[in-house]
Amino acid sequence: MGPTTLLFLLSLPVLAGGPVVALDPGHGGEDLGQHIHGVQERHFALDLASRTAAALTARGLTPFLTRFNDEFVPLSDRVLRAEQVGAKAF
């Protein structure tokens, strides 16, 4: 476990409520994704995941985003983060 993973684990929110559903906004940081009509995919993906998280919370589920801000997270770390919070769906 590297320092980045340890810092991430210390910053995890306390989960309460129904089953955990992991949402992966994709892209982030230096991985911009597509750029269409002045919108970068990395920003759109995070916004969509945040809105989906609110909808899941309203339905009694506990959402977990694999990234919370504009940071690059390698694919293997995204899966690891979901597993560490006990996500039932990814």
Side-chain angles (χ1 to χ4, degrees):
M1 175 182 316
T4 302
T5 303
L6 181 58
L7 287 174
F8 170 76
L9 290 174
L10 293 174
S11 68
L12 286 176
V14 175
L15 301 174
V20 178
V21 176
L23 301 172
D24 182 20
H27 304 293
E30 67 269 13
D31 182 2
L32 308 178
Q34 291 294 315
H35 186 262
I36 301 171
H37 302 293
V39 178
Q40 291 180 339
E41 188 176 0
R42 66 183 175 165
H43 298 302
F44 174 78
L46 186 57
D47 179 63
L48 180 61
S50 297
R51 292 171 189 245
T52 302
L56 291 173
T57 299
R59 288 164 178 76
L61 297 169
T62 303
F64 172 78
L65 276 65
T66 58
R67 70 176 179 97
F68 304 94
N69 53 33
D70 189 21
E71 68 173 314
F72 174 74
V73 179
L75 182 58
S76 59
D77 288 354
R78 294 169 190 254
V79 173
L80 179 64
R81 290 177 179 191
E83 290 174 347
Q84 288 171 333
V85 297
K88 300 299 181 195
F90 186 81

